[in-house]
């Protein structure tokens, strides 16, 4: 039994051998790895510049029958997203030929937009009635120039139907614009174009323009959620760096941890750019999920390095190698377990959750690789070992440590 419990599992032995092999291949190339880290940072920044926030309702739905059914509604019926253009003026202003003709022009402009599937307004009702009284000639599908004729047409329309488009005093009306869902970015661009065109056509006529609707509000709200998530990550990242500064009482150590923990995010951005993904409510959660996992290994490695410095291990190569050998295996196990747990989201039928699972896997595993290769290299290159050792000796009162020369290879087991 004693022999059984004293023997290391094969997995532990294999992991330790892997850490030793990894250290042998990176220990003599710290400057090269620093260059690789900076290159990935630049590439990630370039990938981020080409991305935008584009929340999509239909894209959130499960692939297959559900998503195909909604796309069929968009193609064959009238879309799933609506923009409401509200118009307000003086009483009876909506009977004016100039106003109705401006509404008609706005209606035609809306229908020319790529994602617009249909547009319906009071001008359409008047145009339909005019065509009917003109023998069905398609050329007469228009608003006539006579206000009296327009008033007669409106009087013929069922009051219940007319109330859907105009108030009793004809001071208010609206245009219903239905669009197919291609993401919030395109949706809001079309909304802004309609706003500008409506103000150009109707404001000179004394009609106030307002654009609203549930989908407009939802587009703004979901985009704000993504923006707040990104800013939340930035704030959390900064707080963790400040906590490291407080714990280790070293600005240099706190700054060393920044790049190795930004590199996994850059890798995530590069993957998103390669797959043609943009930020959405679902996939942006990878930032919240991974921020703790990114710094976990970093803090352990730095803490072990500081501990060994205080114990007298001043040779960078020896110190960092021992830190990686001690911290690497449990950190690798943690990264694998967390990644596999989050990868379970790929079993979902919802594309957003599948995307989130893949991004979490890539980010967490890239985080471990960055700590193993980059944090160790940054410590070798940028940590002032002599100054930090003397400072640690003064703080901890380790006898004789402060007098060691910076180039000393003395090491305490």
């Amino acid at each position: 039994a004693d022999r059984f419990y004293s023997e290391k599992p094969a997995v532990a032995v294999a992991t330790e051998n892997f850490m030793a092999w990894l250290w042998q291949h990176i220990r003599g190339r710290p400057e090269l790895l620093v260059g690789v880290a900076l290159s990935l940072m630049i590439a990630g920044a370039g990938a981020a510049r080409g991305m935008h926030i584009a929340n999509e309702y239909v894209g959130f739905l499960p692939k297959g029958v559900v998503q195909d059914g909604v796309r069929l509604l968009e193609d064959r019926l009238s879309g799933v997203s609506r923009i409401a253009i509200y118009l307000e003026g003086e009483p009876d202003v909506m009977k004016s030929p100039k106003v109705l003709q401006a509404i008609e022009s706005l209606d035609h402009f809306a229908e020319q937009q790529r994602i617009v599937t249909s547009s319906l307004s009071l001008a359409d009702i008047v145009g339909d009635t005019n065509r009917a009284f003109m023998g069905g000639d398609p050329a007469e599908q228009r608003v006539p120039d006579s206000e009296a004729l327009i008033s007669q047409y409106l009087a013929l329309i069922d009051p219940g139907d007319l109330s859907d488009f105009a108030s009793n005093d004809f001071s208010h009306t609206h245009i219903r614009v239905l669009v197919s869902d291609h993401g919030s970015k395109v949706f809001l661009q079309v909304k802004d174009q309609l706003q500008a065109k409506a103000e150009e056509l109707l404001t000179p006529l004394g009609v106030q323009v307002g654009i609203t609707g549930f989908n407009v509000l939802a587009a703004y709200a979901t985009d704000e959620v993504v923006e707040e998530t990104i800013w939340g990550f930035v704030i959390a990242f900064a707080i963790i760096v400040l906590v490291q500064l407080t714990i280790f009482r070293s600005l240099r150590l706190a700054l060393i941890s920044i790049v190795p923990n930004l590199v996994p995010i850059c890798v995530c951005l590069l993957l998103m750019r390669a797959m043609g993904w943009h930020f959405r409510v679902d996939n942006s959660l990878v930032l919240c999920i991974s921020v703790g996992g990114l710094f976990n290994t970093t803090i352990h490695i730095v803490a072990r390095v500081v501990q060994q410095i205080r114990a007298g291990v001043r040779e960078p190569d020896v110190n960092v190698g021992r830190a990686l050998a001690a911290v690497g295996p449990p950190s690798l196990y943690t990264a694998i377990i967390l990644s596999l747990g989050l990868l379970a989201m790929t079993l979902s039928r919802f594309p957003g959750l599948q995307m989130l699972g893949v991004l979490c896997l890539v980010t967490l595993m890239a985080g471990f690789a960055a700590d193993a290769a980059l944090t160790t290299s940054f410590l070798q290159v940028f940590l002032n070992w002599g100054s930090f050792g003397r400072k640690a000796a003064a703080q901890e009162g380790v006898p004789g440590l402060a007098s060691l020369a910076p180039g000393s290879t003395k090491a305490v087991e």
Side-chain angles (χ1 to χ4, degrees), residues 56-64 66-67 70 280 349-352:
E56 183 183 3
Y57 167 72
V58 179
F60 291 158
L61 300 176
K63 293 181 179 179
V66 176
Q67 195 172 109
V70 177
R280 308 191 322 187
R349 294 178 56 208
F350 288 85

Side-chain angles (χ1 to χ4, degrees), residues 251-272:
L251 178 61
R252 190 182 294 264
L253 280 177
L255 295 177
I256 283 173
S257 69
I258 292 178
V259 173
N261 287 290
L262 285 178
V263 165
I265 301 301
C266 293
V267 173
C268 179
L269 293 174
L270 288 170
L271 174 62
M272 292 178 65

Side-chain angles (χ1 to χ4, degrees), residues 208-221:
Q208 298 179 1
V209 178
I211 296 186
T212 185
F214 170 79
N215 296 104
V216 174
L217 299 177
Y220 281 118

